[in-house]
Amino acid sequence: MTDQATDFSKLLECLADRLPAFRQALLEQSGADLERVELGAGEVLLRKGGQAHSLYVVVSGMLRATTVLEDGRELTLSEFGRGEMAGEMAMLAGGGSYSATVSAAADAVLVRVPREAFEKIAKSAPQAIREMTGGIRRRLARDQLAIGLPNLFGPLDETMLRFVEARVEWVRLHAGQTLFAAGDKGEDLYFVLGGRLRAVDGGGRVLSEMTRGESIGEIALLTGEARTATVVAIRDSDLVRISRQAFDEIVEKYPGVMQTIARIVVQRLRAKEGPGVAATTRKCIAVLAAGSGNLARLFTERLVIALGRIGPTLHLSAQRLDVLLNRPGIAAAEDDDAAGFRLTAWLDEQESHHQFLIYETDGSPSLWTRRCLRQADEILLVAAAGSDVALNAVEKALLGTGDGISKARQSLVLLHADGSRLPSGTSLWFANRNVPRNFHIRLDREDDFGRVARCLGDVAVGLVLGGGGARGLAHIGVVRALREAGVPIDMIGGTSMGAVMASLVAMDQDWRQMLETNREAWLHSKPHKEYSLPFISLIRSRRLDSMAKKIWGGIDIEDLWLNFFCISCNLSTTATMIHERGPLWKAIRASASLPGVFVPVLSDGHILVDGGLVNNLPGDVMRERACRTLIVVDVGSEHEFTFSLPEFPSPWQFLRSRILPFAARIEVPHIVDVLMRTTDVSSSQKTRDVKRNADVCLRPPIDAYGVLQFESLDEIAEVGYRYAKAKIEELRGEQSLAGLFPVK
């Protein structure tokens, strides 16, 4: 051994106890590969964001890692001395960028290990790499705690950070594990350091999702009440637990913390979001071929382009990974070997630098495919429309119902050559698959990829059309104006006449086709003119059913190009019904069955009527579908419902005013107007709330038209178009809506 090597042997004695295998591997490097470095107090060793070329072993002295918070203040993440390392996370991640600025807290002596030397060790001494990875995940978690705690406790300095850190408990959850269940006593507060968790109510409805930097349980912490939701890890997640005792100690020393917590609680209560807030749009998405065939690669490449328009996106496949890390076969590395540790560290780093990580599986139940599914926040099952719907081998092996390796939400994506005909048979794909939503993509329509990307990225534009009888024909003009302005419609819903119009938009009819469909329906078929003895309703349902089946017969809601829902009211249970699957014609009939006017719809013994009774403008339902921008169109009546009569006339008085040529005409509210007004009143408060909370609320001037004045079809549609066109031009100047319109 040369003198220089002997010198390094003494310098690296600091690693003998903690990292003996790594020390030995370093000593086996030639002296030229290592370098002794002296650093004066205050000197900067590494800068955050700088390209990682080396790691450093601290022989003596003290180093300090710092970062700059959003408010511009510098925060010390950690201090470390003899036997510890700086820059090792970036090296382990394959030579990425440094995650913090490191400087000398006191004069220090270091040993510099260049990247080339580290790579030699990684190949020749995997045990040495495995040894050094033991504390890295905790170091990453500590950094995330330091960076994220201001969101929970307000501004903090190094002293406060150390005080809090000493009182937290580190928690590791694997995918599928429950953090707590509804009904559990709640006195602990949790802070998410990494991964993703989901809150669900007793009925299984998803309330919210929480990811890095978000907190869970503030309300229960303050009130001591039982948990109102069950929180489950979607994928492997790291958290810290702050007990009630620890929280009391923190508040006693730092009273200002309570103000920040109280503000969060108030926001949660106002938003009625349960134990967590909506997750950010950072997502890991896995793409897996479903059924027969494999179009995953074709789809993934185009999806990555569309997501790239929303935020930084990284496309990862086994082949791409081998090239990016210059390590052939690393995608197939076991989790617990050195290469697997390196891969995990590198993926963690990429997740912090990109808004979307897209994992392309390889079509087999390989280690890479398994890793993709375990890392995913959402899994896209991609298949060609019309292909064999049976589960393929990978789906059976890895995504079996109840025992799959991932708890992430699964969405079905069906690819169509073009839009020459509506999709069909989509429901067949649901058998044995847990897919709460589906998308249809036409390969010749680039905007379909943009639509799906916005839905996946939680930045979708949702359009909601309200009920109002014939006044709802104004929706045709509004949709025309929105399309001409280039405003995307990513998902759509409605009630009553709004449901009728929304379904035509979801079928991708243009405004001329919508006019003709309604002309045939209301001016030729005239289902609203088929009067009946008023035992069940004023109007029979024979023509109405025939019309509905002619327009929508054979179409299921899941077969529409756009994600669609409509609202009806279940008179049997007084519940609001949200129709998202099943026969479209029946859902539309139920949503538009004004009680007393049209015959109700029977469904499994339940009586369904017009959704306007419970929610005439269901923007709140659309918000739950994670749309970023909500546009609502209200066509309900805003006129006062008054008449200048001392009392209502008798039927004979009213009849004489209509028959006798010189009798004064008595104006009274029509029974349809009375019933329509009743539906407006029953959901008026909800409508006002929706309009107040919408990003864009459009209200065409259509009060002059009656609820059954379908003969004014073209005129009402034109009124809606002129109004919306002018309103859209006004909205272009609003900064908050800048992203809604394409750049001219």
Side-chain angles (χ1 to χ4, degrees):
M1 185 175 291
T2 65
D3 291 342
Q4 189 176 21
T6 302
D7 183 46
F8 278 114
S9 178
K10 293 178 180 178
L11 289 174
L12 295 174
E13 192 66 32
C14 59
L15 296 175
D17 294 331
R18 295 179 62 253
L19 303 171
F22 188 64
R23 174 179 181 273
Q24 184 60 38
L26 283 175
L27 291 175
E28 291 174 0
Q29 299 294 313
S30 66
D33 287 335
L34 305 179
E35 178 185 352
R36 184 179 188 275
V37 176
E38 294 184 4
L39 203 65
E43 284 191 73
V44 174
L45 177 67
L46 311 174
R47 290 199 180 276
K48 181 179 179 179
Q51 187 65 35
H53 298 294
S54 307
L55 69 82
Y56 296 83
V57 178
V58 182
V59 176
S60 64
M62 185 70 66
L63 299 183
R64 177 182 294 127
T66 61
T67 190
V68 177
L69 300 175
E70 291 183 359
D71 60 8
R73 292 184 301 111
E74 183 178 81
L75 176 68
T76 297
L77 299 174
S78 58
E79 290 186 344
F80 43 98
R82 177 178 166 79
E84 296 186 281
M85 291 182 285
E88 79 281 19
M89 288 183 282
M91 284 294 98
L92 191 67
S97 57
Y98 295 121
S99 59
T101 295
V102 177
S103 58
D107 291 350
V109 175
L110 316 168
V111 172
R112 175 180 174 269
V113 182
R115 179 177 177 180
E116 295 76 12
F118 181 83
E119 293 295 342
K120 291 177 183 178
I121 294 173
K123 292 179 181 179
S124 62
Q127 176 58 34
I129 302 301
R130 187 178 296 111
E131 187 180 69
M132 69 175 288
T133 58
I136 285 184
R137 183 172 289 277
R138 176 59 58 84
R139 174 85 70 85
L140 288 170
R142 289 178 70 250
D143 288 352
Q144 287 300 323
L145 178 64
I147 294 170
L149 272 182
N151 297 333
L152 182 62
F153 288 161
L156 74 167
D157 55 22
E158 182 181 349
T159 303
M160 182 178 177
L161 174 61
R162 302 296 164 241
F163 185 86
V164 173
E165 186 180 353
R167 286 159 178 77
V168 303
E169 176 187 340
W170 303 86
V171 177
R172 174 78 168 168
L173 290 181
H174 295 291
Q177 282 189 288
T178 298
L179 180 64
F180 53 73
D184 288 353
K185 185 177 180 180
E187 290 191 346
D188 296 330
L189 174 65
Y190 295 90
F191 187 76
V192 184
L193 301 174
R196 199 177 193 93
L197 299 99
R198 177 179 296 148
V200 297
D201 63 15
R205 183 173 68 96
V206 175
L207 301 174
S208 59
E209 291 187 355
M210 293 75 69
T211 188
R212 178 183 299 179
E214 298 182 86
S215 53
I216 306 171
E218 298 89 352
I219 297 176
L221 175 74
L222 296 182
T223 65
E225 296 177 353
R227 304 289 188 184
T228 58
T230 297
V231 174
V232 179
I234 300 175
R235 59 187 176 101
D236 292 354
S237 302
D238 292 302
L239 307 90
V240 292
R241 170 182 170 268
I242 304 173
S243 67
R244 179 59 183 265
Q245 179 182 346
F247 181 75
D248 289 343
E249 292 177 7
I250 294 168
V251 171
E252 183 178 359
K253 188 169 181 63
Y254 300 100
V257 166
M258 185 58 77
Q259 293 181 345
T260 305
I261 294 290
R263 190 180 306 116
I264 294 173
V265 169
V266 170
Q267 291 171 348
R268 296 275 167 86
L269 291 174
R270 285 177 175 173
K272 298 179 181 179
E273 289 180 344
V277 298
T280 65
T281 55
R282 289 187 181 274
K283 276 189 180 180
C284 296
I285 301 170
V287 180
L288 178 70
S292 60
N294 188 358
L295 295 175
R297 178 168 299 179
L298 168 66
F299 166 78
T300 305
E301 290 174 349
R302 296 180 68 177
L303 177 66
V304 166
I305 294 173
L307 285 169
R309 300 188 184 103
I310 299 172
T313 303
L314 181 62
H315 177 189
L316 296 172
S317 65
Q319 295 79 12
R320 286 172 173 267
L321 200 62
D322 290 349
V323 173
L324 287 170
L325 292 180
N326 194 27
R327 292 289 301 275
I330 194 172
E334 295 277 4
D335 287 346
D336 58 354
D337 67 20
F341 280 121
R342 290 202 67 184
L343 178 55
T344 298
W346 186 83
L347 292 174
D348 284 345
E349 184 185 23
Q350 302 316 305
E351 194 170 337
S352 67
H353 295 320
H354 296 85
Q355 192 167 350
F356 305 105
L357 261 60
I358 310 302
Y359 289 89
E360 179 189 328
T361 60
D362 59 18
S364 69
S366 64
L367 289 171
W368 169 245
T369 293
R370 291 172 184 271
R371 183 182 288 273
C372 291
L373 299 182
R374 287 201 317 273
Q375 290 284 123
D377 299 316
E378 181 152 3
I379 299 171
L380 302 183
L381 302 176
V382 180
S387 61
D388 186 358
V389 303
L391 294 174
N392 60 37
V394 179
E395 291 180 279
K396 290 178 182 178
L398 304 182
L399 295 180
T401 54
D403 58 352
I405 67 172
S406 173
K407 303 301 177 184
R409 178 171 66 174
Q410 300 173 35
S411 296
L412 175 68
V413 179
L414 294 180
L415 306 179
H416 304 256
D418 54 41
S420 57
R421 59 179 181 177
L422 275 173
S424 62
T426 306
S427 61
L428 298 175
W429 289 89
F430 299 154
N432 301 316
R433 293 183 177 92
N434 180 22
V435 284
R437 68 174 174 177
N438 64 278
F439 300 103
H440 294 284
I441 287 184
R442 293 157 286 193
L443 294 176
D444 63 342
R445 294 276 295 269
E446 200 61 42
D447 55 343
D448 276 7
F449 285 89
R451 167 173 53 85
V452 172
R454 288 187 293 273
C455 290
L456 293 173
D458 297 336
V459 294
V461 178
L463 176 63
V464 172
L465 308 181
R471 293 192 292 259
L473 296 168
H475 292 315
I476 299 174
V478 172
V479 170
R480 175 188 175 187
L482 289 172
R483 284 173 167 169
E484 288 180 356
V487 175
I489 301 173
D490 298 319
M491 47 183 100
I492 193 166
T495 297
S496 195
M497 194 61 175
V500 172
M501 296 303 166
S503 71
L504 301 181
V505 176
M507 292 167 65
D508 202 28
Q509 289 194 6
D510 62 29
W511 66 273
R512 292 185 178 85
Q513 291 171 314
M514 292 175 69
L515 277 176
E516 292 311 308
T517 297
N518 281 277
R519 196 182 314 281
E520 176 64 28
W522 305 107
L523 302 188
H524 296 166
S525 298
K526 298 182 179 179
H528 57 297
K529 299 290 187 181
E530 189 185 20
Y531 297 106
S532 172
L533 292 175
F535 294 120
I536 300 176
S537 64
L538 293 174
I539 296 173
R540 298 176 64 182
S541 65
R542 186 177 57 184
R543 287 188 199 170
L544 193 61
D545 287 347
S546 177
M547 178 198 79
K549 291 176 182 178
K550 183 177 180 180
I551 298 173
W552 301 290
I555 303 173
D556 286 338
I557 293 175
E558 54 267 34
D559 291 330
L560 296 170
W561 291 118
L562 298 185
N563 294 88
F564 164 91
F565 71 85
C566 66
I567 303 295
S568 71
C569 174
N570 188 329
L571 285 184
S572 304
T573 64
T574 70
T576 299
M577 301 293 292
I578 302 174
H579 302 271
E580 294 182 280
R581 288 187 177 178
L584 179 58
W585 81 269
K586 199 166 189 177
I588 297 295
R589 265 284 283 118
S591 184
S593 292
L594 187 63
V597 177
F598 296 110
V599 176
V601 170
L602 291 176
S603 176
D604 298 325
H606 292 257
I607 301 172
L608 307 184
V609 297
D610 197 300
L613 285 173
V614 287
N615 199 343
N616 199 47
L617 192 64
D620 54 327
V621 177
M622 182 63 80
R623 280 290 194 203
E624 292 177 354
R625 277 130 189 84
C627 76
R628 173 69 60 83
T629 304
L630 173 63
I631 303 173
V632 299
V633 187
D634 178 27
V635 292
S637 176
E638 288 191 340
H639 282 324
E640 289 189 7
F641 200 58
T642 58
F643 290 83
S644 56
L645 294 172
E647 60 182 15
F648 280 102
S650 70
W652 293 112
Q653 289 174 317
F654 178 77
L655 187 60
R656 282 198 299 271
S657 78
R658 290 293 190 270
I659 295 176
L660 299 180
F662 300 108
R665 185 180 179 89
I666 300 176
E667 296 294 343
V668 297
H670 191 279
I671 185 172
V672 175
D673 292 315
V674 173
L675 293 170
M676 181 68 76
R677 187 65 171 179
T678 301
T679 65
D680 285 343
V681 170
S682 61
S683 63
S684 59
Q685 182 57 53
K686 178 167 284 190
T687 295
R688 285 193 291 270
D689 291 342
V690 165
K691 291 168 67 174
R692 184 172 57 252
N693 295 324
D695 298 287
V696 176
C697 179
L698 303 176
R699 181 51 175 76
I702 36 69
D703 282 311
Y705 301 95
V707 295
L708 295 179
Q709 198 172 332
F710 290 101
E711 63 274 12
S712 299
L713 163 65
D714 295 283
E715 186 178 328
I716 296 174
E718 184 64 21
V719 168
Y721 173 67
R722 290 198 305 269
Y723 162 82
K725 190 175 179 66
K727 189 69 175 178
I728 288 170
E729 288 307 309
E730 293 179 19
L731 296 174
R732 285 186 188 274
E734 294 192 14
Q735 186 63 34
S736 62
L737 299 175
L740 192 60
F741 304 100
V743 179
K744 289 187 176 181

